[in-house]
Structure formats: C-alpha cells, structure tokens
Amino acid sequence: MEVIDIYTEDTEDEIQVDDYGFKSNPDNEPHTDKNIEQKWKQLMKSPETFPPKSKKTKQMIRKNGFPPSLRGEAWFFYAGGAEKLKKGVYEKSLNVTTNKYKDVIERDLYRTFPDNIYFNSIEKTTDDDQTTVEDPPLIQSLRRVLVAFAQYRPKIGYCQSLNFIAGLLLLFMNEEKSFWMLVILTEKIIPNVHLENLEGVHTDQGVLMLCVKEYIPQLWQVLGKNFDGEALSEDKILTRLPPVTLVTSSWFMSLFVGILPIETTLRVWDIIWYEGSKTIFRISLTILKLCLDSPEFKAKQVQQQGNGGTETELIELIQLLQNFPKKITDPNLLIDCCYKKIGGYGFGSLSQDEINKCREFVSKQRKTLNKKLEQQSLTGTTEEEKRKLMNGELDIHEVYGFHRRPMMSGMVWNKNITNKMKKKFNTTGKNEIA
C-alpha cells in the first residue's frame, strides 16, 4: 500500500486506526483471510502480472477481494489503466496556471476523510515555540490530482464526491494512476454522473428505480411514492423520481465511499474495478433488500401502514435507509447476498448489457421529455398542461416508450398501464406504431 507514514507514535497511541489510517473500532472489524495475499501470488505469473479475467479470477475477487498490498495495482490492472495511461498528460494538466475550480477544490480538501490520519494537517513547533500548520503529503497529492482532472475533463471540472474517490485511490496508488482511474471512472463506469447538470445521476437513478420495481416489488410499494403519498405509476417513474433517490444518488456519486464502512467499501471496489458499473446497481439492490428485511424497517413499515402513510413517516423510512448501509460491517454478508439466490436475494443476473440498454432507454426518454418541455414553454403552454406533461399524463407513448420492447430481460414496463391508456394509445398513436 503506497502510503506515507506521517504520524508520530504518540498520535498512534491516542487514536486506534485501521490499516488505511481510518479511526477504527476493533470490535467492528470484519474477519479477513490472512492467507489471501499468498493465494493471489500463487495465481500471478509474476509479481506485477495479474491473472487474466476468467470465471476463477472473478470468483476469487468476490469471495476474498484483493489484499491491501496488491489492491492498488490490481484495480489499475483490471480497470484497464495501463491501456488508458498516456505519458506526460498528467504533468501537462498540472502545469496550467489558471483553473476556475481551484478555490472550490481547496475548500473541500480538508473535508476529505477528516477521520483519517493521513489527511489531517500536521502541526509543527519551530525553534522559537511558534506553531505552524502544514498540509500532509496526501492532501498535497489530492490537490494536484483534482486540479489536473478538472483541467483534463472540463465538462466535469470538479464535483463534490470526487475528492473522496480520489482520496481513497491515493491510499493505494500514486498520483498519476489515481488521475487516470478518475478518468476511467467518469468515462466508462459512471459516465455523465458528475456533469454539472447531473443528468447522468438522474438517468442512473431512473434505471435503479426500474430495477427496484422489477426485482424488489414489495419495497417499491413502500418507497415508490411522492411526499404526498401518491404512488408513482410506471408511466411516471422516469419523469418523477421518488424521494428515496435523494439518498441512493449519493451512492452512485461517491461510489459508496462514506456510505458503507471502509472495509466493505473496499471489497465492493474490488468488484467494481473488475466487473464494471453493473456492480453498483447490484450492490444498491442488495443494500435496499437488506434494509427492507431489517427489523427496524419492518417496524417503521407497520407503523406507516397503521397511520395511513404520512409524509413524516415516509421521511423517517428514507432516513432509516440513509443510515442503514453504515451497519453493514461484514462485507462477506453483503457480497454473498448480492450473488447467492437465497431468500429473494441474488442480483448477479443483472448484466452489463442490460444496464447499458436501460441507460440508453432512460436517457432517450428524459431527453424527449426535456425537449417537449422546452417546446411547450415556447408555445404558451398553461401551467396545468406543464404539470400534466411533467407527470407523464400527456403523450404517454412518446414519453414512456410504451410501444418499445422492454430493454431488460423479464421486465415488462407496460404491464400495469390501464385499459383506458391502452385505448388512448391505440387510437392516437396508431400511425406511429406502423
């Protein structure tokens, strides 16, 4: 692990930290296989050559993850870092004298992992008993990586949460590799999620909500509502994302950093860098299912049903969901539930191809909606008509894609459309179908 020892023995005595520099509670530390490093070295052809992607390698990663000593190199290898890296680009991006994001980046530097000793400022006492504060090496590295990335990807620039992702990368690899991993993440794994308009977030949340409705329908019955308690029908999911997405969107933007306990996050990252963005959706579904099955959620759900489901109770359920991931201290539990088909769990059948097609569908439908809103605003649409358009009550076949084949296997998005809407579609959209 490429880290720099910047703390003193006194500091270490005062604060218990884990292998990565985070404050820790030994009682909550998960059991790890002490022989995992040796197992990986047996699979490697040389100290720097990891085994090619295969069913055996994938199972090894899911079961044990990477050992800390190999984690950074393994992430970079399986994410395609060597193919992406272009010599001199990082240094060139650093040498630009003006960058409009420098101030906001500076503001967020010390908000990054305040509970990690490697990101804490260093106090030094001079010979004349004056106290000075210096940036630790990892803060200096984080500053450079974020500034270089903002310069290299101007359409994104800097977005909060990138500091946490870059910070975690820097615990395991050098600046240049961390920079290219950010590029890979924002280009390939979660494209457009960190754009200024956050349209990529809305798209992925639309995909996730459609997955929840398909794979965890009992949870959708609880959370698939607006704050007024109105259930969102299938034709409105893409135009009116439910309030729970205010929570789940941060899972995607941060890649679970700060959401799950650190060891659980690292095990999830081991899979993400190997398997791609489908892992984010699979893990999100698993967290949601675990929360649904928790005693706390069941108790809140009973209370909500008894009182008719008030806005306050829906907010309480969402807050419970927001705090729940921190309780998943055993990464093996999360990963086993994600991939083993037991008791309604097992989301490994959700493929990358399905996710990509669903993203394409959701993005296209949202663009259609936004275009209609722009056109309607220019032609003097009434507020009532705008409301109906936003709620999906106008031209449902165009906004929702009723006549299109479902993009995800086993998902029939139009199965609950009322006969009235079907009749309307058949009469008004007949020519379009042909």
Side-chain angles (χ1 to χ4, degrees):
M1 184 167 59
E2 294 185 41
V3 294
I4 303 172
D5 186 4
I6 61 170
Y7 55 93
T8 65
E9 292 184 0
D10 291 339
T11 305
E12 189 177 14
D13 290 337
E14 294 172 3
I15 303 173
Q16 285 188 311
V17 297
D18 60 20
D19 293 339
Y20 318 107
F22 292 97
K23 296 177 184 177
S24 67
N25 182 352
D27 296 333
N28 292 334
E29 289 186 4
H31 171 74
T32 55
D33 187 346
K34 302 298 183 182
N35 298 318
I36 182 62
E37 183 173 353
Q38 187 60 34
K39 291 179 180 179
W40 270 104
K41 287 183 176 180
Q42 291 174 356
L43 287 176
M44 297 168 67
K45 296 179 180 179
S46 70
E48 297 180 355
T49 305
F50 289 87
K53 289 188 175 184
S54 66
K55 184 176 180 180
K56 181 180 179 181
T57 304
K58 180 170 65 176
Q59 290 175 340
M60 180 79 162
I61 294 171
R62 290 179 180 179
K63 182 179 179 180
N64 297 302
F66 299 114
S69 60
L70 299 175
R71 185 165 265 146
E73 292 300 323
W75 289 350
F76 193 75
F77 177 84
Y78 288 115
E83 293 80 8
K84 189 70 176 177
L85 188 149
K86 300 174 184 175
K87 288 293 185 183
V89 171
Y90 176 62
E91 291 78 6
K92 182 179 178 181
S93 299
L94 274 177
N95 290 333
V96 177
T97 56
T98 59
N99 189 306
K100 65 179 182 179
Y101 296 100
K102 280 188 175 181
D103 289 342
V104 67
I105 288 173
E106 200 66 31
R107 189 177 64 223
D108 279 353
L109 289 178
Y110 276 103
R111 297 175 181 174
T112 308
F113 301 137
D115 61 340
N116 187 299
I117 57 175
Y118 298 121
F119 290 86
N120 290 341
S121 58
I122 303 172
E123 290 190 0
K124 289 188 176 182
T125 303
T126 61
D127 294 337
D128 56 354
D129 292 331
Q130 297 294 318
T131 301
T132 61
V133 178
E134 295 182 1
D135 290 337
L138 279 190
I139 287 289
Q140 297 175 33
S141 294
L142 181 61
R143 178 186 291 112
R144 289 190 289 267
V145 169
L146 293 176
V147 168
F149 177 82
Q151 183 65 33
Y152 184 75
R153 292 292 315 271
K155 288 186 177 180
I156 294 177
Y158 173 73
C159 175
Q160 284 185 334
S161 75
L162 288 177
N163 55 319
F164 290 99
I165 296 173
L168 193 58
L169 288 168
L170 284 166
L171 285 172
F172 295 94
M173 62 186 73
N174 63 34
E175 291 180 23
E176 186 175 29
K177 288 183 177 180
S178 297
F179 166 82
W180 285 111
M181 291 291 275
L182 276 186
V183 173
I184 291 170
L185 176 71
T186 54
E187 287 184 353
K188 182 179 179 181
I189 298 179
I190 44 175
N192 303 324
V193 163
H194 295 92
L195 290 178
E196 187 173 354
N197 63 7
L198 299 181
E199 185 56 33
V201 177
H202 302 320
T203 297
D204 279 357
Q205 292 310 297
V207 174
L208 179 62
M209 291 301 104
L210 290 171
C211 290
V212 171
K213 194 175 191 306
E214 170 69 9
Y215 293 105
I216 320 176
Q218 62 272 40
L219 181 62
W220 179 255
Q221 292 176 3
V222 179
L223 297 177
K225 304 174 182 178
N226 59 25
F227 282 124
D228 295 327
E230 176 190 0
L232 297 177
S233 58
E234 286 187 336
D235 54 305
K236 296 180 183 178
I237 296 175
L238 302 185
T239 57
R240 296 181 67 192
L241 293 172
V244 68
T245 57
L246 296 172
V247 172
T248 55
S249 59
S250 67
W251 301 358
F252 283 66
M253 293 191 71
S254 68
L255 220 62
F256 300 108
V257 179
I259 306 297
L260 293 166
I262 185 60
E263 191 62 45
T264 307
T265 301
L266 292 172
R267 288 287 302 281
V268 169
W269 273 35
D270 290 344
I271 303 172
I272 290 175
W273 295 117
Y274 184 89
E275 298 190 36
S277 64
K278 62 187 177 186
T279 306
I280 308 173
F281 292 90
R282 291 171 172 179
I283 292 294
S284 294
L285 289 171
T286 307
I287 295 172
L288 291 168
K289 182 72 167 68
L290 285 169
C291 183
L292 174 68
D293 292 341
S294 68
E296 300 91 339
F297 194 90
K298 289 182 180 294
K300 286 286 184 185
Q301 189 177 352
V302 170
Q303 181 183 357
Q304 184 191 44
Q305 292 171 345
N307 296 333
T310 65
E311 177 181 343
T312 301
E313 287 164 347
L314 177 60
I315 292 174
E316 289 177 353
L317 281 173
I318 293 174
Q319 287 176 335
L320 193 155
L321 177 61
Q322 183 178 22
N323 297 324
F324 180 79
K326 276 294 184 185
K327 299 179 181 180
I328 308 177
T329 56
D330 182 0
N332 292 320
L333 169 67
L334 177 64
I335 294 169
D336 286 348
C337 287
C338 183
Y339 294 103
K340 293 183 179 180
K341 292 184 176 296
I342 302 174
Y345 289 89
F347 303 103
S349 60
L350 183 59
S351 72
Q352 189 66 55
D353 185 56
E354 289 172 325
I355 290 296
N356 292 341
K357 288 179 179 179
C358 197
R359 276 173 163 169
E360 183 180 351
F361 176 86
V362 173
S363 178
K364 188 171 183 179
Q365 298 311 306
R366 288 187 59 84
K367 286 179 181 177
T368 299
L369 174 69
N370 291 333
K371 185 176 181 180
K372 280 184 171 292
L373 287 173
E374 290 176 4
Q375 291 174 344
Q376 295 290 344
S377 65
L378 292 174
T379 55
T381 307
T382 66
E383 290 301 317
E384 176 65 13
E385 288 172 331
K386 289 180 182 178
R387 182 190 66 79
K388 287 184 177 181
L389 185 60
M390 281 301 294
N391 290 348
E393 297 171 19
L394 296 178
D395 295 327
I396 186 172
H397 53 288
E398 292 180 19
V399 174
Y400 190 61
F402 175 80
H403 60 289
R404 299 178 184 276
R405 295 179 60 191
M407 292 293 180
M408 300 180 67
S409 59
M411 180 177 286
V412 185
W413 295 346
N414 60 333
K415 61 185 176 183
N416 292 326
I417 301 295
T418 63
N419 289 330
K420 180 179 178 182
M421 292 307 299
K422 287 182 181 179
K423 184 177 179 180
K424 175 183 176 183
F425 173 75
N426 287 331
T427 55
T428 63
K430 189 174 181 180
N431 292 334
E432 284 190 34
I433 298 177

